Amino acid sequence: MATYAIGDLQGCFTEFQQLLEVIRFDPAQDKLWLVGDIVNRGPDSLPLLRCIKQAGDAIRMVLGNHDLHLLMVAAGMAANHPSDTIQAILDAPDRNELLHWLRQQKLFHVEGQYAMVHAGLLPSWSIAQAGQLAHEVETALRHDDHHELFARMYGNEPNYWQDDWTGYIRLRVIINAMTRMRVCTLDGRMNFAFKGNPQSIPDGYMPWFSVPHRISQNTTIVCGHWSGLGLHITDHLIALDSGCVWGGQLSAIRLEDRKVFQIPCAQ
């Protein structure tokens, strides 16, 4: 039995299938962790989403910003971007079933010595607090009035956390940190405009995982989202977005021994 974590898929179904063959994934024995951004920008979001849904308990996933964007577009709260490739899902006969399943997925997952999130955690959040905050968002996503969340979810402000935030502002900051953040200041102010490599980070900002005295630093966090960072593995960080959809590679790691497996982009 092994646990494998895989980076951002973004509709790259062919590479996903190839990578499962390379790691010899056995759903009867093994577990698969997916760091979010299952859909969008790649060519095959619909069959990929169906495949993951059908895999059942063998797969654990967290939601990424592109997954939430699909839900927003489907709810009429956001428009398709010219580079979006989610229309096949929106037109699918099983659309409602797929979208309902996607809304049930987690924003943050903790198991043993590992925690999984799509983008990152703010420096002031412990693992326990992050779990509680993610649960607040997950509850709102699964509620019958989830459209109310979607109507207020987008926005870059506030770009910092306060424990006394309430309502949809509170949920927006949680979502932005866990699905969009790459860099922040020492006091946890996020910069959502930055998408480049670590050498081009604006003055005053640093990778969220490099903030000194980050409360969650003793837990190994598995994440994705930052293709400019690439595959980045340290004692307590496993960042797996190696930019498959941009012509890079799709990466997996076996958590038990940290062996890395990669498949080059097919296109």
Side-chain angles (χ1 to χ4, degrees), residues 77-90:
M77 300 297 179
N80 256 318
H81 188 275
S83 60
D84 285 346
T85 59
I86 55 175
Q87 193 59 47
I89 299 173
L90 301 174

Side-chain angles (χ1 to χ4, degrees), residues 83-259:
S83 60
D84 285 346
T85 59
I86 55 175
Q87 193 59 47
I89 299 173
L90 301 174
D91 294 339
D94 53 346
R95 158 197 165 127
N96 291 340
E97 181 182 344
L98 291 169
L99 296 175
H100 176 80
W101 174 84
L102 194 61
R103 281 197 298 109
Q104 313 310 306
Q105 302 311 302
K106 301 177 72 173
L107 201 65
F108 184 61
H109 178 69
V110 181
E111 192 170 324
Q113 61 185 315
Y114 294 98
M116 178 170 59
V117 67
H118 178 61
L121 299 181
L122 284 168
S124 64
W125 290 351
S126 67
I127 295 298
Q129 182 181 10
Q132 293 168 356
L133 297 177
H135 181 68
E136 294 179 29
V137 174
E138 292 157 5
T139 299
L141 281 170
R142 296 165 186 169
H143 201 276
D144 289 344
D145 66 355
H146 58 273
H147 289 78
E148 294 296 320
L149 171 62
F150 292 160
R152 297 165 174 83
M153 191 173 77
Y154 274 178
N156 293 337
E157 299 293 337
N159 66 350
Y160 61 96
W161 175 252
Q162 290 185 182
D163 285 334
D164 60 358
W165 288 133
T166 60
Y168 292 108
I169 286 178
R170 179 181 178 89
L171 298 181
R172 182 192 301 154
V173 178
I174 299 168
I175 291 169
N176 281 344
M178 292 192 179
T179 68
R180 297 180 60 205
M181 176 176 62
R182 296 180 179 91
V183 297
C184 64
T185 61
L186 281 171
D187 60 355
R189 290 184 178 268
M190 298 174 279
N191 180 337
F192 300 115
F194 174 75
K195 300 181 179 181
N197 60 49
Q199 290 72 42
S200 60
I201 295 174
D203 289 344
Y205 293 90
M206 64 191 71
W208 64 268
F209 50 81
S210 296
V211 175
H213 311 300
R214 173 172 57 86
I215 293 177
S216 61
Q217 65 184 347
N218 291 324
T219 297
T220 300
I221 296 179
V222 182
C223 62
H225 183 59
W226 191 355
S227 61
L229 175 67
L231 181 67
H232 186 80
I233 300 172
T234 64
D235 286 348
H236 291 107
L237 180 79
I238 300 174
L240 291 169
D241 185 2
S242 46
C244 182
V245 76
W246 308 117
Q249 296 178 310
L250 186 62
S251 299
I253 187 169
R254 187 165 56 210
L255 296 183
E256 286 77 12
D257 60 2
R258 295 206 172 193
K259 182 175 180 179

Side-chain angles (χ1 to χ4, degrees), residues 30-120:
D30 302 328
K31 292 182 181 179
L32 196 64
W33 287 21
L34 303 178
V35 301
D37 276 3
I38 302 304
V39 302
N40 209 12
R41 303 295 170 84
D44 296 309
S45 291
L46 177 58
L48 180 55
L49 190 60
R50 284 171 172 162
C51 174
I52 293 168
K53 176 180 177 294
Q54 291 166 2
D57 292 340
I59 291 182
R60 297 284 184 269
M61 67 164 282
V62 291
L63 294 165
N65 52 300
H66 282 285
D67 307 314
L68 292 173
H69 177 65
L70 166 62
L71 293 171
M72 290 277 284
V73 173
M77 300 297 179
N80 256 318
H81 188 275
S83 60
D84 285 346
T85 59
I86 55 175
Q87 193 59 47
I89 299 173
L90 301 174
D91 294 339
D94 53 346
R95 158 197 165 127
N96 291 340
E97 181 182 344
L98 291 169
L99 296 175
H100 176 80
W101 174 84
L102 194 61
R103 281 197 298 109
Q104 313 310 306
Q105 302 311 302
K106 301 177 72 173
L107 201 65
F108 184 61
H109 178 69
V110 181
E111 192 170 324
Q113 61 185 315
Y114 294 98
M116 178 170 59
V117 67
H118 178 61

